[in-house]
Amino acid sequence: MTPLSDPRPSRTTIREVAQHAGVGIKTVSRVVNNEPNVAPATAARVRASIEELRWEPDALAANLRRTTTRTRTIGLLLGSVSNPFAAAIHRAIEDVAAHRDVAVFASSLDDDPAREVAAVEAFVRRKVDGLILTCVAASQAYLRELVPPDMPIVFIDREPAEFAADTVHSDNVEGARMATRHLLGFGHRRLALLIDRREIWTARERERGFLLALDEFGIAPETATILDGLSDHVAAERAVLSVLGAPNAPTAIVSGQNLITVGAVHALRKLGRHRDVALIGFDDLELADLMDPGVSVVAQRPQEIGDVAAARLFASLDAGRRLDPAPIIVPVDLIPRGSGEIRPPSA
Amino acid sequence: MTPLSDPRPSRTTIREVAQHAGVGIKTVSRVVNNEPNVAPATAARVRASIEELRWEPDALAANLRRTTTRTRTIGLLLGSVSNPFAAAIHRAIEDVAAHRDVAVFASSLDDDPAREVAAVEAFVRRKVDGLILTCVAASQAYLRELVPPDMPIVFIDREPAEFAADTVHSDNVEGARMATRHLLGFGHRRLALLIDRREIWTARERERGFLLALDEFGIAPETATILDGLSDHVAAERAVLSVLGAPNAPTAIVSGQNLITVGAVHALRKLGRHRDVALIGFDDLELADLMDPGVSVVAQRPQEIGDVAAARLFASLDAGRRLDPAPIIVPVDLIPRGSGEIRPPSA
DNA sequence: TTGAAAGCGTTACCAT
DNA sequence: ATGGTAACGCTTTCAA
């Protein structure tokens, strides 16, 4: 029977390096950590030994005794890693992190409060240096006992409740308001708003913007149709099909999200009404410009959100403590492409 | 001056638990690790103490001495976390991993060999349990000295060179062949193939499938136009614009990739020829079915790729060693939507 | 400027 | 079935 290969390949240790360089263990430690009080000549000798023995410090062991433990790792919780908006944020954060030799754990929330807590627990257990979170639970108070008090946290896309922390998100209210105003400006008076579940903060914010715009134009909210609870394109398609079949159907639609827009476009196509019912989506879609008519959207800036969130997190990390919570609002851009510039039949 | 908060919040240790339960340290260790030889009564007492003191074992410290170290962490290297194809794979892998309480480090390759090596180094330094990699370097031989010999590795999307390991990817040759055959079947005789840089394995494979189909139909490869080095939609658009302007321009286009398809559609629209030049893309696009004409594609199955890759990785992990390398080929699906069913002018 | 010894929180080994 | 002690690879403390 052949002997099994050693399950624990003997790594070189700091001890061997010290011996090889003819110095004490602590001096090697000083060198690799750039601590002062090492004679240049000694340092050089140590570095040569490290090189020669191809030693790499064991980060895990180092953190065991260190007071200010740094795993050079952060936890990122996204709506879903496969959602294009989230994936773009992810990419931006990764780029900043990679630059600092920090690795990123990525998880998907799936708008499930239980997953939110589980993900944070998993991150904390792995001793990440900081957290960038998308939240959906009714309250984030649980973080106070789950997360070490010094660990920086930045929320993205949605504001937390009962927990003060940095937050980076789009200007949802203004975006929805712009979209709605835009449609009203083209003469529409009967509008529909399609939004996700109201548990989701952005859905509520976008509804707020929608209502503000109606108010500006002196339109009674009752004349508008607001459909909520739409979390995928199938539900959205069904909703649009039914709402357009009703009497006094809306002449324009504001979609509160990515997947809802896709569902709405499907429905309009199916009804053959994509040229006479106006539509503006929230969040951009790839190929939206190549559709006929092009799909007008309020585009978010996911890369900017990621950039800013990462910058905040690393600022706290560099400071060694949570900085004063700052809410950062990233602008959105209304992109007219055709579908949002359709006039109502009567106008 | 207010005292700084203790930077190292004193965690409860196994020692305190042992004392509280009135047992030895090792017995507590036995209980949490489900080792045999603990009396049920003792175990219950220990568990109660753990509960009461809210102790959580320090995974880092545990791994320090453990022979079979498990960080419950894997490293995933993708083309780019923001590419929809890669993001879908990511999601599938995450779902499998989350189920086993394993966290996923995700990084982007950006088709840069240097990033490939750097990412693997970063993963290994953090002592991941396994690797799922997309590769682009000319050889993966470097893995032999960079990665511990027992660490499982699964390649996705592209085959490695000079390194034997599990590989999970689409049937690229057959996919390209199907697409090409499909166009030839509609009567096209002058085809163009647009592919990414030839350093990329999938580009070469898809070219192979393209040429095989031409051969089947007895068409000389010289009559086809093959443009390579197309890595984004801008380059692809430019390429299509120029190739369609040339004499004896192709009547049908096979696009070798996501972004190339987008560029090609843009170009065809710009020329107003989207209804008379046929196009089949490799890899599906969201909204492709809503375009006019719908964009026919050879769709990959990213979720299946992710599922299978994760299954292989965890199989190796469970076995405690790298299993015999198996190449797994995932089928592709030709989805006709209109653009691929356009006939040539003369036919 | 340097290093010996103690300690980090756990698992491995070997008694009992 | 149980526990004492060494050990993991490093940082910290403190004396030299």
Side-chain angles (χ1 to χ4, degrees):
Chain A
M1 191 172 155
T2 41
L4 295 172
S5 65
D6 184 358
R8 191 184 195 93
S10 58
R11 310 174 71 273
T12 26
T13 77
I14 195 175
R15 242 181 307 268
E16 307 173 58
V17 174
Q19 190 154 33
H20 185 275
V23 300
I25 250 177
K26 176 64 212 186
T27 299
V28 178
S29 172
R30 283 198 182 90
V31 171
V32 296
N33 293 304
N34 293 314
E35 285 171 37
N37 292 333
V38 176
T42 316
R45 205 142 36 85
V46 170
R47 255 183 273 275
S49 295
I50 291 175
E51 195 79 10
E52 194 169 335
L53 300 182
R54 310 173 105 263
W55 174 66
E56 291 183 39
D58 182 325
L60 271 55
N63 277 325
L64 194 54
R65 188 69 163 85
R66 228 193 275 273
T67 45
T68 167
T69 164
R70 285 278 181 273
T71 54
R72 305 199 79 79
T73 286
I74 63 174
L76 172 62
L77 183 55
L78 297 166
S80 169
V81 295
S82 65
N83 179 298
F85 170 70
I89 293 178
H90 184 177
R91 186 54 150 89
I93 291 172
E94 185 207 337
D95 286 344
V96 178
H99 220 82
R100 308 181 56 136
D101 189 28
V102 165
V104 180
F105 283 121
S107 290
S108 299
L109 174 62
D110 265 351
D111 288 333
D112 175 355
R115 278 187 82 137
E116 177 182 331
V117 180
V120 172
E121 266 182 328
F123 291 149
V124 170
R125 222 175 23 233
R126 289 182 177 77
K127 307 229 183 313
V128 298
D129 295 336
L131 296 168
I132 298 182
L133 305 176
T134 308
C135 59
V136 71
S139 161
Q140 277 62 51
Y142 71 91
L143 292 174
R144 264 185 287 278
E145 65 174 30
L146 208 58
V147 180
D150 287 332
M151 187 182 291
I153 304 180
V154 177
F155 286 90
I156 50 172
D157 193 38
R158 305 172 187 172
E159 282 191 357
E162 304 175 15
F163 189 87
D166 280 325
T167 310
V168 183
H169 58 73
S170 294
D171 195 340
N172 293 291
V173 175
E174 186 55 25
R177 192 175 184 170
M178 276 165 54
T180 310
R181 248 193 222 136
H182 191 75
L183 293 169
L184 291 167
F186 274 87
H188 294 277
R189 286 303 174 266
R190 290 197 313 280
L191 305 195
L193 173 69
L194 308 179
I195 51 175
D196 209 318
R197 292 161 37 208
R198 280 224 174 66
E199 287 87 336
I200 296 169
W201 183 79
T202 46
R204 300 197 302 272
E205 290 287 289
R206 290 168 195 175
E207 178 181 33
R208 208 145 68 76
F210 177 78
L211 293 173
L212 280 173
L214 289 188
D215 188 58
E216 272 177 54
F217 277 71
I219 296 185
E222 301 81 42
T223 65
T225 310
I226 300 185
L227 296 177
D228 69 343
L230 274 23
S231 50
D232 58 53
H233 70 95
V234 178
E237 178 175 341
R238 203 160 22 208
V240 171
L241 287 176
S242 86
V243 79
L244 286 183
N248 271 325
T251 61
I253 297 173
V254 177
S255 149
Q257 189 236 80
N258 235 342
L259 303 172
I260 295 178
T261 311
V262 174
V265 173
H266 269 115
L268 292 175
R269 287 281 175 140
K270 204 169 269 183
L271 295 170
R273 303 195 56 191
H274 50 293
R275 291 185 201 290
D276 63 69
V277 175
L279 170 67
I280 301 190
F282 206 112
D283 200 17
D284 205 0
L285 297 172
E286 188 164 23
L287 299 191
D289 56 329
L290 291 178
M291 315 227 10
D292 190 27
V295 179
S296 301
V297 298
V298 174
Q300 300 188 76
R301 301 182 185 175
Q303 187 185 324
E304 188 172 336
I305 292 177
D307 275 344
V308 172
R312 279 303 289 182
L313 190 78
F314 285 116
S316 286
L317 242 25
D318 290 341
R321 58 182 183 81
R322 289 181 187 162
L323 300 176
D324 292 335
I328 300 177
I329 296 178
V330 176
V332 293
D333 307 287
L334 175 58
I335 306 180
R337 292 194 181 113
S339 76
E341 292 70 41
I342 295 173
R343 296 184 177 280
S346 51
Chain B
M1 190 172 156
T2 40
L4 294 173
S5 65
D6 185 357
R8 191 185 194 95
S10 59
R11 310 175 73 273
T12 24
T13 77
I14 194 174
R15 240 181 308 266
E16 306 172 57
V17 174
Q19 190 153 33
H20 185 274
V23 300
I25 244 176
K26 177 65 214 186
T27 299
V28 178
S29 173
R30 282 196 183 91
V31 171
V32 297
N33 292 305
N34 293 315
E35 284 172 36
N37 293 331
V38 175
T42 315
R45 207 143 35 83
V46 170
R47 255 184 272 274
S49 296
I50 290 175
E51 196 79 9
E52 193 170 334
L53 300 181
R54 312 173 102 266
W55 173 67
E56 291 183 39
D58 182 325
L60 270 56
N63 277 323
L64 191 55
R65 189 68 164 89
R66 230 194 273 274
T67 45
T68 166
T69 165
R70 285 280 181 271
T71 53
R72 304 199 80 78
T73 286
I74 62 173
L76 172 62
L77 183 55
L78 297 166
S80 169
V81 295
S82 66
N83 178 300
F85 170 70
I89 294 178
H90 184 177
R91 187 52 151 89
I93 292 172
E94 185 207 338
D95 286 344
V96 177
H99 221 80
R100 309 180 56 135
D101 190 29
V102 164
V104 180
F105 282 122
S107 291
S108 299
L109 175 61
D110 265 350
D111 288 333
D112 174 356
R115 278 187 83 137
E116 178 182 330
V117 180
V120 172
E121 266 183 329
F123 291 150
V124 170
R125 222 176 23 233
R126 289 180 178 79
K127 307 228 185 313
V128 297
D129 295 336
L131 296 169
I132 298 182
L133 305 176
T134 308
C135 60
V136 69
S139 160
Q140 277 63 50
Y142 71 91
L143 292 173
R144 265 185 285 277
E145 65 173 30
L146 208 57
V147 179
D150 287 332
M151 186 181 291
I153 305 180
V154 177
F155 285 88
I156 50 173
D157 191 39
R158 304 173 187 171
E159 283 192 356
E162 303 174 15
F163 188 87
D166 279 326
T167 310
V168 183
H169 58 74
S170 295
D171 195 340
N172 293 292
V173 174
E174 187 54 26
R177 192 174 182 170
M178 277 164 54
T180 311
R181 253 193 218 134
H182 190 76
L183 293 169
L184 291 167
F186 275 87
H188 294 276
R189 287 300 174 269
R190 288 198 313 281
L191 305 194
L193 172 69
L194 309 180
I195 51 175
D196 208 320
R197 292 159 38 205
R198 280 222 175 68
E199 286 87 336
I200 296 169
W201 183 78
T202 47
R204 299 197 302 271
E205 290 288 289
R206 291 168 194 174
E207 178 180 32
R208 208 146 68 78
F210 177 79
L211 293 174
L212 280 174
L214 289 188
D215 188 57
E216 272 177 53
F217 277 71
I219 295 186
E222 301 80 45
T223 65
T225 310
I226 300 184
L227 296 178
D228 70 342
L230 273 25
S231 50
D232 59 52
H233 68 93
V234 178
E237 178 176 342
R238 203 162 19 207
V240 172
L241 288 176
S242 86
V243 78
L244 287 183
N248 272 324
T251 62
I253 297 173
V254 177
S255 148
Q257 190 237 80
N258 236 343
L259 304 172
I260 294 178
T261 311
V262 174
V265 174
H266 269 115
L268 292 175
R269 288 280 176 141
K270 204 167 269 183
L271 294 171
R273 303 195 56 190
H274 49 294
R275 292 186 200 290
D276 62 69
V277 175
L279 170 68
I280 300 189
F282 206 113
D283 201 17
D284 205 0
L285 298 172
E286 189 165 23
L287 299 191
D289 55 330
L290 291 178
M291 314 229 9
D292 192 26
V295 179
S296 302
V297 299
V298 174
Q300 300 187 78
R301 301 182 184 175
Q303 187 186 325
E304 188 172 335
I305 292 176
D307 276 345
V308 172
R312 279 302 289 182
L313 190 78
F314 286 116
S316 286
L317 242 24
D318 291 341
R321 59 182 182 80
R322 290 182 186 161
L323 299 176
D324 291 335
I328 300 176
I329 295 179
V330 176
V332 293
D333 308 288
L334 175 58
I335 306 180
R337 294 196 180 110
S339 76
E341 293 70 40
I342 295 172
R343 295 183 178 280
S346 49

